[in-house]
Amino acid sequence: MKLSEIQSAQIITHLLGTRGALKSEEELALCLKRHLTKKELKALNLLVSGAIMEEILKAMNLDEARYKALVESASKKIKNQNLHKEFYVL
């Protein structure tokens, strides 16, 4: 997945809410790409893009339980307090 395809700001605000000024879209995309697996990143990207669940499961070749596990795993990684300083302008 290319950096320009990642909706990093939407992913972070979807999971963490609005807490402050986010860094640039490119810096956020690099951070997400560094800390998440390819499937986790793709799952979150499809989630915030508003795709229908059936389309997501078909595009990723997953069942619903595995998809939910991927999203939950990625959410835990993003909500880690150590990563917050990489998302926001201090």
Side-chain angles (χ1 to χ4, degrees):
M1 182 175 283
K2 297 178 182 174
L3 290 178
S4 60
E5 297 173 355
I6 301 172
Q7 300 174 2
S8 53
Q10 290 86 353
I11 290 172
I12 293 170
T13 55
H14 178 77
L15 294 174
L16 299 177
T18 54
R19 296 184 180 188
L22 291 172
K23 291 186 177 179
S24 72
E25 192 78 27
E26 186 176 318
E27 288 177 311
L28 294 173
L30 283 171
C31 181
L32 289 177
K33 199 167 186 177
R34 184 172 50 248
H35 291 288
L36 300 177
T37 65
K38 290 178 186 177
K39 279 200 171 190
E40 289 172 338
L41 189 56
K42 187 173 183 178
L44 288 176
N45 207 39
L46 288 171
L47 177 70
V48 298
S49 69
I52 300 170
M53 179 64 75
E54 296 162 356
E55 292 175 4
I56 295 172
L57 297 177
K58 187 176 180 182
M60 295 187 65
N61 196 21
L62 298 172
D63 62 345
E64 192 170 344
R66 180 66 183 135
Y67 172 74
K68 288 183 179 182
L70 274 174
V71 171
E72 184 179 326
S73 170
S75 298
K76 284 182 182 178
K77 289 179 182 179
I78 290 176
K79 289 180 180 179
N80 184 349
Q81 292 293 327
N82 295 333
L83 290 183
H84 287 199
K85 61 187 169 204
E86 294 184 34
F87 298 144
Y88 297 103
V89 176
L90 300 177

